[in-house]
């Protein structure tokens, strides 16, 4: 008995044997207390115990948490990847706008990268009469000269339903009546602005975007007609004056 007590392993066996003699139900009781994701087994000759299944970590009875590699390592898949936890493992996929250089579901550091998709290589991705601009992970669209977006800002995404439509004054190119009408409208509007400062401010505002040919003509006319007003002004108002390059860049 003395030599038996010297060995811890044998002591454990003896204890298990004794306890099983005293309470025949004890062994099954231990296994009954195992967590749903644990297995009851006897390892290395010790008595039965609850061990969390592979891919789970815990005490085997009250908790067996799925090892979430996606959570305990920050950015394991990189900026352009998404980590997906699986039972006992995980994998990476590329976020939208990027494509994998290897398999779709990959492991970090296996040589696979997430490369930007150049959406602009797809024909007509922005619709007719547009320009496509590739960005990291996405793209956006602008309209060609003499075309404007059907709504919203200069840069748009075709998913929003925006397309490029003809600028209302486009046909002025070969229609002298249209040019004359546009010029007259501009002059009439400008004639209301008698202050040189506000006149110039208005011209700067109206010519800051992309200009059609007829708009250039109209505002040059407006400047000519306003010459007397501008000369009458004594202040130095050159600060916000549109440079001729700005006015004629289109
Ligand atoms: C056991 O694991 C499965 C699969 O991961 C999970 O759906 C279930 O909730 C887990 N059970 C408990 C009690 O945590
Ligand atoms: C069982 O014994 C082996 C070798 O002695 C050891 O590597 C392993 O960790 C032991 N397992 C448990 C659950 O104690
Ligand atoms: C992630 O968590 C598991 C257990 O949940 C642990 O075994 C592993 O070492 C952890 N990894 C890192 C890099 O912290
Ligand atoms: C559109 O794409 C260009 C890159 O070509 C980028 O500089 C610009 O910020 C983008 N605009 C918007 C509104 O996303
Ligand atoms: C995307 O980002 C990388 C750096 O992460 C840069 O070198 C590259 O020019 C960018 N491409 C575009 C289209 O913005
Ligand atoms: C524009 O104004 C000029 C002079 O005031 C006039 O002769 C011409 O008929 C006008 N054009 C239009 C289309 O209204
Ligand atoms: C210019 O002012 C007149 C009256 O002062 C007004 O009737 C006209 O609508 C104004 N024109 C514009 C284009 O604002």
């Amino acid at each position: 008995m003395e030599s038996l007590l010297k060995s811890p392993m044998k002591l454990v066996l003896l204890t298990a044997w004794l306890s099983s003699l005293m309470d025949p139900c004890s062994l099954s009781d231990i296994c009954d207390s195992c967590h749903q994701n644990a297995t009851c087994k006897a390892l290395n000759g010790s008595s039965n115990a609850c061990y969390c299944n592979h891919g789970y970590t815990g005490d085997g009875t009250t908790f067996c948490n799925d090892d979430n590699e996606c959570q305990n390592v920050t950015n394991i898949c990189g900026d352009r990847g998404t980590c997906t936890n699986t039972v006992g493992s995980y994998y990476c996929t590329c976020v939208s706008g990027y494509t994998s250089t290897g398999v779709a579901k990959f492991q970090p550091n296996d040589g696979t990268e997430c490369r930007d998709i150049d959406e602009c290589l797809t024909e007509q991705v922005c619709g007719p009469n547009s320009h496509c601009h590739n960005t990291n992970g996405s793209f956006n669209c602008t309209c060609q000269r003499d075309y404007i977006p059907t709504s919203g800002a200069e840069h748009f995404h075709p998913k929003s339903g925006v397309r490029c439509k003809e600028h209302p004054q486009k046909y002025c190119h070969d229609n002298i009546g249209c040019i004359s009408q546009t010029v007259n409208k501009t002059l009439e509007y400008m004639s209301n602005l008698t202050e040189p400062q506000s006149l110039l401010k208005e011209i700067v505002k109206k010519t800051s975007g992309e200009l059609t040919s007829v708009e250039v003509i109209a505002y040059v006319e407006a400047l000519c007609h306003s010459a007397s007003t501008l000369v009458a002004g004594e202040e130095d108002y050159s600060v916000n004056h549109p440079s001729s390059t700005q006015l004629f860049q289109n």
Side-chain angles (χ1 to χ4, degrees):
M1 192 68 184
E2 201 175 323
S3 66
L4 205 66
L5 288 172
K6 272 181 189 155
S7 158
M9 189 55 77
K10 282 176 181 165
L11 182 61
V12 166
L13 279 173
L14 178 68
T15 312
W17 176 69
L18 285 174
S19 64
S20 70
L21 279 184
M22 289 185 287
D23 178 5
C25 293
S26 66
L27 282 181
S28 59
D29 275 353
I30 288 170
C31 290
D32 283 349
S33 70
C34 283
H35 186 267
Q36 186 190 346
N37 289 323
T39 305
C40 188
K41 51 191 167 187
L43 289 179
N44 290 351
S46 68
S47 62
N48 270 355
C50 299
Y51 296 97
C52 290
N53 295 338
H54 180 70
Y56 297 84
T57 303
D59 63 5
T61 54
T62 58
F63 74 101
C64 281
N65 296 330
D66 179 31
D67 295 338
N68 192 340
E69 294 83 358
C70 295
Q71 260 167 24
N72 73 350
V73 188
T74 44
N75 239 2
I76 195 169
C77 293
D79 289 336
R80 300 164 167 197
T82 302
C83 183
T84 303
N85 185 49
T86 61
V87 175
S89 188
Y90 70 100
Y91 61 84
C92 303
T93 49
C94 293
V95 299
S96 136
Y98 293 88
T99 186
S100 167
T101 56
V103 290
K105 293 178 181 181
F106 62 94
Q107 297 288 319
N109 305 317
D110 71 351
T112 307
E113 283 172 35
C114 289
R115 193 166 288 166
D116 175 48
I117 298 169
D118 188 350
E119 293 86 354
C120 294
L121 295 178
T122 308
E123 209 142 324
Q124 296 271 304
V125 69
C126 292
N129 306 307
S130 61
H131 295 296
C132 181
H133 311 275
N134 186 44
T135 62
N136 271 325
S138 187
F139 72 102
N140 62 52
C141 309
T142 53
C143 292
Q144 287 173 10
R145 199 179 151 185
D146 291 343
Y147 291 84
I148 55 172
T150 47
S151 72
E154 186 192 349
H155 290 262
F156 63 91
H157 199 282
K159 252 195 211 156
S160 59
V162 175
R163 290 290 179 273
C164 291
K165 64 171 183 188
E166 278 167 347
H167 193 284
Q169 282 143 355
K170 187 198 175 196
Y171 293 120
C172 282
H173 283 163
D174 48 5
N175 185 337
I176 190 71
C178 172
I179 293 175
S180 167
Q181 201 181 342
T182 306
V183 169
N184 284 8
K185 255 195 218 157
T186 308
L187 291 181
E188 190 201 323
Y189 177 74
M190 288 297 167
S191 69
N192 279 11
L193 303 168
T194 49
E195 280 288 304
Q197 275 285 25
S198 50
L199 178 70
L200 285 173
K201 265 188 194 150
E202 189 64 21
I203 293 180
V204 169
K205 202 173 104 192
K206 286 283 162 66
T207 56
S208 60
E210 205 166 291
L211 294 179
T212 63
S213 315
V214 68
E215 284 175 313
V216 173
I217 296 170
Y219 284 101
V220 169
E221 279 290 317
L223 277 173
C224 290
H225 278 251
S226 315
S228 54
T229 311
L230 298 181
V231 168
E234 306 231 322
E235 297 164 78
D236 178 8
Y237 40 73
S238 63
V239 183
N240 290 317
H241 192 286
S243 69
S244 52
T245 49
Q246 193 185 334
L247 200 55
F248 287 110
Q249 66 188 355
N250 293 292

